[in-house]
Amino acid sequence: MKIDPWASKGIQNYKEICDKFGLDAIDHTKLPNPTHLHRRGIIFAHRDLDNVLQSKKRDRGFGVLSGLMPSGQIHLGHKMVIDQAKWFQDLGGDVTITVADLEAHATRGLSLEKCRKYAIEEYISNYAGMGLDPDKTSIYFQSERPVVQKLGFTLGKKTNLSEMEAIYGFSGETNLAHVQSPLVQAGDIVHPQLEEYGGLRPIVVPVGIDQDPHIRLTRGMVSKTNWFNVNENKSGNVTIGLSIQDNNQNTMGLRDDGGIDKKQRQKVIDKAIVAIRKAGFNETNANPKHGTIEIKDANYGEHNELKYHLLNLERQMGGMGLMQPASTYHQFAVGMTGGKMSSSQPETTMFLNDSMKDIEKKIKSSFSGGKPTVEEHRAKGGNPDVDVAYQYLRYFFEEDDNELERIRNEYISGDLLTGEIKSICVEKATTWMKNHHELKDQNQHLVKEFLK
Ligand code: TRP
């Protein structure tokens, strides 16, 4: 099973994906102020979200990073990601948004000027109506932040074509733009940790499940740059291992002739033990020759705290000290015609610039889970799981869980007819959209602020 982030065919089995790629399930009862997306299991999985929430608790802050491809029209799916960014922002995170103009240029053949115009007129002007705090939000263009490209190169040293092949299913015919853009995207994802962009803190990337290959690649490359590995050992405790690399071997106490510089090695071990103490652990047992430190009073559940202090140390010693990005994953709403949502087929989705008439038309002709005749529907009831009107209420337009439950039950029992559930959806969707258009118009001045 592979996921192609550029042409995902729609996911059939979310659970299988979690198992195969090692995603953790989200328990919304443990989240502060869960949104309807969390409560309904639409945001269903994560990597390292605990690290983010712990960092917030310890007042060390955290960042959120998202990106947009400036091609096509902005639709409800894009809004879902911004809603998540806003949720994280309300919890105290700072938000950075990448305009992937280099990626769009390379993979979609758009000029950078077109990308810029598109990004501003189509996307960012709509973001202005979505409640992000301009003081804690920054939107930038990939082509204008050279450091993300530089990081792409630096991280690129930690992967190779075979790994890219295994992750993305690339082959000999793959266009090299598809090899380059995930590396630049990795640069996007990690750069908020650089000192000039806010320093060491967890960065969470809320994405659709189809983007997980990028997260996996980035996490893999980042962990290979780390100078101190934090591993669970056989007795269930933690062992720190020095990671010797081309650019740190002398600092880590390895001489050019391959022998160990005992004095230098001891210095590194001593520094690491100080960092381990800062993390709250004291029972260390070092083996300088092997470059390992066993920590007897730490279990693996505490690895984030250890990692934080060791990454700080790495930075003091001249390394990059990068944390693996965290991520959350959402499921996809079905397309309005019952298949996949696709921005190149306008009838399959609702665009944020659609008129009330467009919306009504799309909902009225959307795929229905009802029965063909009223009699049959009354007798057997409809199927909300495939019904577009119901699903759009669930994903986007009905915030009240009790109301949604009532609609669901009445639809299943046959009390609510297909035309009726569609009318409810039209009513809620047009109310939402009118309000969005108003907020968008009122807040156009924010576009400039976001781009500062
Ligand atoms: N590749 C993403 C897309 O196709 C856009 C993107 C670029 C992005 N950089 C990112 C998304 C960083 C999330 C994080 O939409």
Side-chain angles (χ1 to χ4, degrees):
M1 177 173 47
K2 294 219 167 75
I3 308 177
D4 179 347
W6 292 281
S8 86
K9 307 227 168 30
I11 306 291
Q12 306 303 332
N13 190 337
Y14 288 105
K15 166 113 191 14
E16 194 184 333
I17 292 210
C18 285
D19 293 345
K20 163 129 199 221
F21 296 117
L23 307 179
D24 294 311
I26 286 187
D27 176 357
H28 70 83
T29 61
K30 302 223 167 81
L31 295 179
N33 305 322
T35 67
H36 72 281
L37 297 171
H38 301 107
R39 296 193 307 268
R40 295 171 193 172
I42 293 168
I43 299 170
F44 71 107
H46 74 97
R47 294 183 192 271
D48 275 353
L49 186 56
D50 304 341
N51 191 24
V52 176
L53 299 174
Q54 271 169 24
S55 185
K56 165 191 149 61
K57 262 203 201 120
R58 300 200 157 102
D59 278 330
R60 288 182 194 143
F62 67 93
V64 189
L65 185 117
S66 182
L68 68 100
M69 190 78 142
S71 67
Q73 293 183 62
I74 185 168
H75 56 66
L76 287 172
H78 297 109
K79 183 199 164 272
M80 214 155 104
V81 175
I82 300 299
D83 285 349
Q84 293 177 62
K86 170 150 169 54
W87 178 75
F88 278 119
Q89 188 166 71
D90 290 344
L91 293 180
D94 57 272
V95 173
T96 310
I97 297 172
T98 302
V99 179
D101 59 347
L102 290 178
E103 182 178 0
H105 173 63
T107 63
R108 309 265 160 103
L110 296 169
S111 73
L112 292 181
E113 297 76 55
K114 265 241 169 74
C115 288
R116 183 173 190 95
K117 193 166 144 39
Y118 236 59
I120 293 177
E121 289 174 9
E122 184 64 31
Y123 290 83
I124 305 173
S125 72
N126 272 296
Y127 290 176
M130 295 180 191
L132 290 170
D133 175 356
D135 292 336
K136 286 196 275 169
T137 306
S138 148
I139 303 182
Y140 74 94
F141 291 81
Q142 268 177 344
S143 63
E144 292 177 357
R145 213 166 258 195
V147 72
V148 300
Q149 300 164 48
K150 179 176 150 236
L151 274 169
F153 274 98
T154 314
L155 293 172
K157 267 194 78 137
K158 302 292 178 190
T159 187
N160 57 34
L161 271 178
S162 305
E163 191 190 21
M164 299 287 270
E165 249 172 66
I167 294 180
Y168 296 100
F170 290 163
S171 65
E173 293 73 51
T174 301
N175 193 293
L176 283 185
H178 281 162
V179 181
Q180 285 172 312
S181 51
L183 294 174
V184 178
Q185 177 152 340
D188 292 328
I189 291 172
V190 303
H191 91 281
Q193 296 181 46
L194 300 179
E195 293 307 324
E196 61 269 43
Y197 292 104
L200 180 62
R201 67 202 188 290
I203 302 297
V204 59
V205 191
V207 287
I209 184 74
D210 65 327
Q211 299 289 307
D212 185 53
H214 297 316
I215 305 287
R216 245 181 294 140
L217 174 73
T218 307
R219 287 172 58 90
M221 293 187 300
V222 163
S223 86
K224 285 185 204 146
T225 69
N226 290 170
W227 291 15
F228 300 93
N229 294 325
V230 180
N231 296 314
E232 184 163 22
N233 61 31
K234 285 194 200 104
S235 37
N237 301 321
V238 174
T239 297
I240 307 301
L242 305 189
S243 168
I244 309 222
Q245 304 172 27
D246 298 349
N247 60 350
N248 73 6
Q249 60 171 18
N250 294 142
T251 319
M252 292 301 231
L254 193 69
R255 289 192 316 246
D256 291 337
D257 65 10
I260 291 176
D261 173 345
K262 282 191 186 143
K263 240 171 94 194
Q264 181 61 24
R265 176 60 57 88
Q266 192 56 48
K267 248 190 181 157
V268 178
I269 298 274
D270 289 345
K271 282 184 183 170
I273 288 175
V274 172
I276 292 164
R277 288 229 176 84
K278 280 192 198 155
F281 307 101
N282 299 299
E283 291 178 35
T284 51
N285 184 9
N287 182 335
K289 209 165 154 192
H290 288 161
T292 56
I293 308 168
E294 193 187 341
I295 314 175
K296 295 207 159 103
D297 55 344
N299 64 48
Y300 192 66
E302 291 151 321
H303 73 280
N304 285 333
E305 189 61 14
L306 280 160
K307 197 90 209 193
Y308 174 78
H309 289 281
L310 289 165
L311 288 173
N312 262 318
L313 171 60
E314 181 189 323
R315 287 181 183 215
Q316 283 160 27
M317 292 172 64
M320 290 193 288
L322 299 176
M323 242 180 227
Q324 287 184 304
S327 49
T328 59
Y329 301 92
H330 61 78
Q331 301 184 355
F332 291 103
V334 62
M336 300 199 73
T337 49
K340 212 195 143 210
M341 199 189 255
S342 158
S343 30
S344 57
Q345 291 164 287
E347 69 281 8
T348 65
T349 184
M350 220 180 272
F351 297 116
L352 295 189
N353 293 328
D354 274 352
S355 69
M356 302 311 134
K357 245 173 88 192
D358 295 333
I359 291 171
E360 180 165 358
K361 207 169 123 208
K362 286 181 184 180
I363 295 173
K364 288 266 156 85
S365 46
S366 69
F367 186 82
S368 163
K371 297 289 179 303
T373 65
V374 174
E375 292 70 38
E376 198 182 338
H377 189 90
R378 291 270 186 236
K380 298 194 185 142
N383 177 4
D385 296 336
V386 299
D387 191 272
V388 167
Y390 176 78
Q391 288 300 326
Y392 278 52
L393 289 167
R394 172 172 173 257
Y395 268 79
F396 307 112
F397 303 123
E398 181 51 75
E399 293 243 349
D400 182 338
D401 292 346
N402 294 327
E403 180 62 8
L404 187 73
E405 187 64 15
R406 185 187 69 77
I407 294 171
R408 179 183 174 84
N409 290 336
E410 290 187 7
Y411 197 53
I412 291 175
S413 74
D415 285 347
L416 203 60
L417 296 173
T418 296
E420 290 168 338
I421 200 170
K422 284 185 173 173
S423 296
I424 297 175
C425 189
V426 168
E427 150 81 29
K428 290 270 174 184
T430 48
T431 305
W432 182 85
M433 194 65 91
K434 264 188 206 135
N435 186 43
H436 170 70
H437 287 173
E438 255 165 47
L439 287 171
K440 178 187 167 190
D441 290 344
Q442 276 167 26
N443 290 302
Q444 278 314 295
H445 58 283
L446 295 183
V447 170
K448 264 206 282 283
E449 304 240 340
F450 287 144
L451 289 171
K452 263 200 318 229

